[in-house]
Amino acid sequence: MHLSSPPSVAVPFNDLYTQYLSIREEIDAAIAAVIRESAFIRGRFVEQFEAEFASAVGARHCVSCANGTDALYIAIKALGLQPGEEVITTAHTWIATSETIAQAGGRVVFCDTEPDFFTLDPQQIESKITDRTRGIIVVHLYGQPADMDGILAIAHQYGLWVIEDCAQAHLATYKGKQVGTFGDIGTFSFYPGKNLGAMGDAGAIVTNNSDLAAWMELFARHGGKGTHQIEGINSRMDGLQAAILSVKLPYLEGWNQARRQIARWYNELLSEVMEVATPKVRPDVEHVYHLYVIQLQERDRLFEKLREANIGVGIHYPIPLHEQPAYAYLGMSPDSLPVTHAAARQILSLPIYPELDRDRVVRVAEVIRSQV
């Protein structure tokens, strides 16, 4: 296949400014409305987004908060984790997933992932369960839903709660149902680079359990206003971020479709490159491609060559959590999670964002084909 594009074309890893320009009038009007009403903390803009996001995800309740990390912490606290109790999760993720377990008083137990999908392997979970295990945190990594049937079957068998970390999987579906609605609680990040991104930090928690929703809202708001029912924390989405997210939310499904189209272009253009493994997609899911992650043996060399060609690339994540100094106390060797360990040395994230055009995708593929 012959590929051609100008060699001078730069391809950023992401381009948030271009997205802003595409909806500039709506964003500016929303910001102006918040300023006009001085609705900076809580208020109608936050309440409106909570209702809209709950509806979009298909959950009964949405509790907004300051960021995705707080969302995880609040969820864990709501489920009553006690000091020393264990929570099983993946080491192939950002540290927010695991550090919040420890911050809530629990003990992190890392489990290996599926080779093809980078998500928690249900077949490995059972061996990690002890009499102190209380829950499982599933991460729908890169926008790919995990095997929720397998994970929920084990959770139900052992009476464990399940939190879904959906920080990279806004509107991804598993067998026709939105992620975040399978477990007890789903958590979301609206960090600017996410599929649905704010212009600052913001997060949300969704659940179908009214009691959990009420407790999480109370806990995130200092345990009450005036009369404090419990000791809580201060974790609030501000009005500006809520208004911005309300503008963006109707565009999200279209943006996800654009990401899937870009993934198809990459798959097509790299199909004959035997050294490169393109992402596999689990049957009966809708992947939303927060990241498009290939695998290859000579990852580090290609990483440098792409950067030299002015192409934005990333590695998510180069050092698995069980190999990080922060978790040395667990005494795990790198090969104690062999699939995770191997993947971390081969993964490479290519540019992907809704406004990325085919010419630039061709440019990326052209450099890869010339270097592997």
Side-chain angles (χ1 to χ4, degrees):
M1 183 185 300
H2 177 70
L3 305 176
S4 62
S5 63
S8 60
V9 170
V11 186
F13 188 72
N14 203 346
D15 188 350
L16 301 180
Y17 186 62
T18 295
Q19 182 182 91
Y20 161 68
L21 291 177
S22 72
I23 51 174
R24 181 175 183 170
E25 290 186 5
E26 293 176 77
I27 292 290
D28 290 356
I31 293 171
V34 175
I35 294 171
R36 184 169 57 250
E37 297 182 27
S38 298
F40 300 115
I41 302 295
R42 297 296 297 163
R44 75 174 181 91
F45 296 99
V46 174
E47 292 168 2
Q48 175 183 332
F49 176 71
E50 287 175 333
E52 291 169 346
F53 192 69
S55 177
V57 173
R60 291 180 61 191
H61 305 282
C62 172
V63 178
S64 62
C65 58
N67 53 67
T69 304
D70 278 5
L72 284 161
Y73 176 71
I74 294 165
I76 295 167
K77 293 290 287 185
L79 291 166
L81 189 70
Q82 297 299 305
E85 292 181 338
E86 297 172 352
V87 179
I88 297 169
T89 193
T90 170
H92 191 147
T93 185
W94 182 245
I95 194 171
T97 310
S98 56
E99 68 186 356
T100 47
I101 297 170
Q103 289 161 0
R107 182 174 176 83
V108 180
V109 177
F110 288 123
C111 181
D112 216 349
T113 53
E114 298 176 285
D116 289 339
F117 308 121
F118 307 113
T119 51
L120 205 58
D121 187 346
Q123 296 186 28
Q124 303 297 320
I125 292 175
E126 194 164 12
S127 66
K128 301 291 183 177
I129 295 173
T130 73
D131 59 2
R132 298 196 62 77
T133 306
R134 295 295 176 267
I136 301 168
I137 299 183
V138 183
V139 180
H140 301 299
L141 197 72
Y142 304 152
Q144 169 101 269
D147 179 359
M148 293 309 300
D149 285 348
I151 291 166
L152 290 174
I154 294 170
H156 292 158
Q157 179 182 349
Y158 288 91
L160 308 177
W161 48 253
V162 174
I163 294 172
E164 296 176 70
D165 182 344
C166 309
Q168 300 183 2
H170 306 75
L171 301 192
T173 63
Y174 177 87
K175 296 186 176 180
K177 184 179 177 182
Q178 296 281 342
V179 299
T181 61
F182 290 88
D184 297 274
I185 298 173
T187 66
F188 291 82
S189 167
F190 304 118
Y191 184 81
K194 303 298 186 185
N195 290 32
L196 179 62
M199 292 184 172
D201 260 330
I205 313 152
V206 300
T207 184
N208 289 320
N209 185 308
S210 298
D211 291 337
L212 285 176
W215 190 94
M216 290 188 292
E217 183 171 359
L218 193 67
F219 182 70
R221 317 284 185 260
H222 291 296
K225 187 173 183 180
T227 300
H228 303 284
Q229 306 297 327
I230 60 174
E231 291 182 320
I233 62 172
N234 177 19
S235 183
R236 297 177 295 211
M237 178 186 290
D238 68 65
L240 286 167
Q241 303 309 329
I244 290 164
L245 290 167
S246 284
V247 169
K248 288 187 170 188
L249 183 57
Y251 294 96
L252 178 57
E253 182 53 43
W255 289 339
N256 284 346
Q257 290 175 8
R259 289 174 179 271
R260 285 191 281 269
Q261 178 59 67
I262 293 163
R264 288 192 289 269
W265 288 338
Y266 275 129
N267 291 345
E268 169 201 342
L269 296 166
L270 297 175
S271 62
E272 298 176 7
V273 185
M274 296 298 101
E275 296 87 350
V276 171
T278 55
K280 294 185 178 179
V281 179
R282 190 186 307 279
D284 298 321
V285 308
E286 280 196 337
H287 197 315
V288 295
Y289 291 99
H290 172 61
L291 295 170
Y292 182 90
V293 180
I294 62 173
Q295 296 187 78
L296 72 161
Q297 293 292 330
E298 297 294 325
R299 186 270 310 279
D300 293 342
R301 179 178 173 276
L302 181 59
F303 178 88
E304 293 302 329
K305 292 298 182 181
L306 286 166
R307 291 185 65 183
E308 289 172 9
N310 208 11
I311 293 171
V313 286
I315 301 172
H316 302 86
Y317 301 91
I319 305 176
L321 294 177
H322 74 294
E323 300 178 37
Q324 294 277 358
Y327 293 103
Y329 70 89
L330 294 178
M332 299 181 72
S333 63
D335 59 3
S336 60
L337 302 178
V339 175
T340 299
H341 176 75
R345 281 141 188 83
Q346 298 183 73
I347 51 175
L348 185 66
S349 304
L350 302 183
I352 189 166
Y353 51 92
E355 299 77 21
L356 185 62
D357 59 44
R358 183 177 172 87
D359 285 347
R360 284 177 168 78
V361 174
V362 167
R363 172 64 181 152
V364 176
E366 186 176 60
V367 174
I368 292 172
R369 289 169 63 94
S370 70
Q371 296 296 331
V372 299

